[in-house]
Amino acid sequence: MKILVLNCGSSSIKYQVLKMPEEELLIKGIIEKIGEERSIVEAKNSHKKIKVDKKISDHTEGIKEVLNTIKMAEFKVIESIEEISAIGHRVVHGGESFADSTVVTEKVIKAIEENIPLAPLHNPANLKGILACKGIMPDITQVAVFDTAFHQTLPEHAYLYALPMEYYHKYRIRRYGFHGTSHKYVAEKAAKMFGKPLKDLRIITAHLGNGASITAVKNGKSIDTSMGFTPLEGLIMGTRSGDIDPAIIVFLERNEGFTAGNIDKLLNKHSGILGLYEKSNDMRPIEEGYYKGKRLETLIMTMYAYRLTKYIGSYMAIMGGTDILAYTAGVGENTPPLRSLVGKRMRELGFGIDENLNKRVIKYGKEVDISSSEAKVRTFVIPTNEELAIARDTYILTKQVFL
Ligand code: ADP
């Protein structure tokens, strides 16, 4: 069965086609700058790569372009559209409506629409993708896989904020958490590596990309996570501040005349590594400077590791310890000094890292146990694969539809 996985943004479409259940990647691609004069169309698989400029006006044209690309004789992915059995969509916000992936129906479309106020940038784009596919292939099974779903198991005492209850009732202001597909995938992989069922383990998954979040997974369920009502809360990120004293916002309003729009930009786009470093939001130059002993880079690396350590410690406290800490995503998979700093700070709590493995792990490009032999808590590096996780859910749900 061939499954098309789509991640539709406001001006981009990322996609993959996977053969299931073999989990074989047949092609991956991206269309960027949709709606602009010159959109960029890229695709590659093991035997071919293309990159062309052409105008793609909207998501419907974009999806048609994706289908034409995967039909290209050179890629040999499909000969006709009928060979695509189902489509899996990444949908950012399922609100309180979805605790799991689901087959897209009219009711589901309505619920995604209703959750737009919670994710005004992402849900409309995800919906555009679903509706475009529906227009082009009316009979195909579509599955929505939500970034928030895995965290719907958070208990009330973890997801409520200590604000007047009326705002929860009126606007559903609460912790939702994000990156759920990745946290779930990594936790499942970590359990396999550990050799015990997920339901018997306490795992901390650290998804550290440009956006970053950390989750406490107890007995297979997310019981707390660092991103909150929006992806702004928690760890220091590429351009987001993570946790700050909310009174800073009031102070800036009073003293700088900031509006809601200014503050949103400041905290989401101009803070984090970018705010501190002022040159870029990328961890790579920070790592380089850290190795050379440069002051600012060392400070940023230390701050990043310190915030992460505080979260790891607090998640150990709520789970009564942890069996595994698993790092994933761009920064998590590729930054040895960060893992090393966290490991050293947590030594008294049973952490230990094999520094040789820690440095070499990038070369493997697959999951590695980097713990030292005496460590009581295992530290893993696990490349995330959200597209594969979406394809798996889509495959399972599509099989159920056909039965
Ligand atoms: P997202 O999907 O959130 O955009 P990624 O998971 O791709 O992010 O991570 C992107 C970030 O990962 C980059 O901004 C960079 O800081 C970091 N990164 C990627 N490769 C490396 C590397 N080799 N060494 C250190 N950091 C890296």
Side-chain angles (χ1 to χ4, degrees), residues 209-211 281-284 287 329-331 334-335:
N210 199 19
N281 62 347
D282 202 303
M283 186 54 110
R284 281 164 282 201
E287 188 183 346
V331 173
N334 297 301
T335 318

Side-chain angles (χ1 to χ4, degrees), residues 153-161 174-175 223-225 318:
T153 45
L154 255 62
E156 215 175 17
H157 59 254
Y159 73 64
L160 282 176
Y161 291 108
R174 51 160 284 180
R175 177 181 308 285
I223 63 159
D224 206 349
T225 189
I318 60 166

